[in-house]
Amino acid sequence: MRLKNKTALVTGAASGFGRAIARRFATEGANVAIVDLNSPAAQVVAADIGDSAMAVRCDVSNGDEVAEAVAAVIDRFGKVDIVVNNAGWSHKNQPLMEVEFAAFKRVYEINVDSIFHATKAVVPHWRTIGGGVMINVGSTAGIRPRPGLSWYNSSKGAVNAMTKTLAVELAPDGIRVCGLAPVMGATALLETFMGLPDTPENRSKFLASIPLGRLCEPEDMANAALYLASDEASFITGVILEVDGGRTI
Ligand SMILES: NC(=O)c1ccc[n+]([C@@H]2O[C@H](COP(=O)([O-])OP(=O)(O)OC[C@H]3O[C@@H](n4cnc5c(N)ncnc54)[C@H](O)[C@@H]3O)[C@@H](O)[C@H]2O)c1
């Protein structure tokens, strides 16, 4: 039980990587809050986990809703030790000149503003309880950007930089801030990222660029997040852990 007596809030936990992270945290003894815009799906995940889970409907791009979500979790479980900022979204893979400003803005609201809001909501609490862990889900897209996802790539570059700057400024408070940078995974976002139908031919083109030869599985993210969230990583902060089968080499 690597997260016994801990409470974790995972955004975007109704699906994909976030759901696998929340489930794994629960099996390791944590109380978990399944925070997502998709309330029915969040409730299914929470019910499946059982009494140690709660579902919270929240739009992570809205500061008031994020503050309310953090307060609701503290109200139910007494504290929050771990926040995983995982909820994310992208415009579809297309030439950068074709992306409308509304889509650009939404990408930044969900991927970047959300981390500002989560920080504002949880750091005062962490200063009271003596520390905490934040894990931000960036992407290989923010390290080795490729054409077609330009504005999304830049938002993930911001996520990766936020992780490092938060880590250094919050370290004196006993707060660790780390990042995960997954390569493409077989989640709901797959076709958005590929910009092509999910056919074996299109997948194999992409797989050829990953030295270990497969996509990122939700379990790969859960394993990496568990390590960073656990006390085994107590001297680790500001790292962006690439969960990418060697893609960014
Ligand atoms: N799947 C990939 O190939 C891949 C690769 C690199 C990085 N990522 C990142 O991983 C993270 C998780 O993505 P995923 O692939 O599991 O996608 P997903 O679509 O399966 O899950 C994303 C979840 O976020 C929720 N969400 C979206 N907007 C929200 C909002 N405004 N407020 C609250 N919840 C919201 C969705 O309802 C969904 O449950 C994202 O940050 C994504 O950018 C994914």
Side-chain angles (χ1 to χ4, degrees), residues 11-18 35-38 58-61 85-89 106 110-111 137-140 152 156 181-190 193 221:
T11 72
S15 145
F17 294 154
V35 175
D36 206 289
L37 197 51
N38 185 342
C58 167
D59 180 344
V60 295
S61 69
N85 289 310
N86 163 78
W89 186 72
R106 195 65 188 139
I110 298 174
N111 297 357
V137 177
S139 172
T140 53
Y152 170 80
K156 291 301 189 177
V183 75
M184 202 189 286
T187 70
L189 284 175
L190 179 68
F193 288 139
M221 287 291 281

Side-chain angles (χ1 to χ4, degrees), residues 127-148:
R127 286 183 167 149
T128 306
I129 67 171
V133 183
M134 179 182 287
I135 298 173
N136 298 323
V137 177
S139 172
T140 53
I143 299 169
R144 187 170 182 260
R146 315 309 303 155

Side-chain angles (χ1 to χ4, degrees), residues 24-245:
R24 174 59 66 82
F25 282 11
T27 61
E28 292 290 338
N31 294 317
V32 286
I34 312 300
V35 175
D36 206 289
L37 197 51
N38 185 342
S39 181
Q43 283 169 21
V44 169
V45 176
D48 192 42
I49 292 172
D51 287 346
S52 62
M54 71 186 287
V56 184
R57 192 225 161 262
C58 167
D59 180 344
V60 295
S61 69
N62 180 311
D64 292 339
E65 290 189 23
V66 173
E68 283 163 22
V70 170
V73 178
I74 294 171
D75 193 43
R76 164 83 183 269
F77 294 121
K79 62 183 173 121
V80 177
D81 305 284
I82 302 155
V83 169
V84 183
N85 289 310
N86 163 78
W89 186 72
S90 179
H91 55 87
K92 75 173 190 322
N93 189 317
Q94 64 192 132
L96 64 89
M97 294 299 283
E98 292 175 13
V99 178
E100 298 295 338
F101 184 59
F104 170 90
K105 254 182 99 202
R106 195 65 188 139
V107 166
Y108 270 74
E109 284 168 0
I110 298 174
N111 297 357
V112 180
D113 294 12
S114 57
I115 296 177
F116 177 88
H117 298 318
T119 302
K120 289 285 214 174
V122 80
V123 167
H125 174 63
W126 282 346
R127 286 183 167 149
T128 306
I129 67 171
V133 183
M134 179 182 287
I135 298 173
N136 298 323
V137 177
S139 172
T140 53
I143 299 169
R144 187 170 182 260
R146 315 309 303 155
L149 288 171
S150 291
W151 307 116
Y152 170 80
N153 296 341
S154 69
S155 77
K156 291 301 189 177
V159 172
N160 294 346
M162 284 168 106
T163 296
K164 286 182 181 285
T165 198
L166 292 176
V168 76
E169 187 163 338
L170 296 174
D173 295 296
I175 297 168
R176 297 191 295 110
V177 184
C178 293
L180 293 171
V183 75
M184 202 189 286
T187 70
L189 284 175
L190 179 68
E191 290 199 357
T192 302
F193 288 139
M194 282 206 300
L196 297 165
D198 182 14
T199 62
E201 296 72 38
N202 289 334
R203 265 200 197 203
S204 67
K205 264 191 253 161
F206 191 80
L207 290 178
S209 72
I210 303 174
L212 286 178
R214 65 170 175 84
L215 297 179
C216 180
E217 296 293 337
E219 281 308 311
D220 296 317
M221 287 291 281
N223 290 333
L226 174 60
Y227 168 65
L228 292 176
S230 75
D231 290 342
E232 291 159 34
S234 63
F235 198 51
I236 310 287
T237 197
V239 298
I240 313 293
L241 180 56
E242 294 143 11
V243 187
D244 74 344

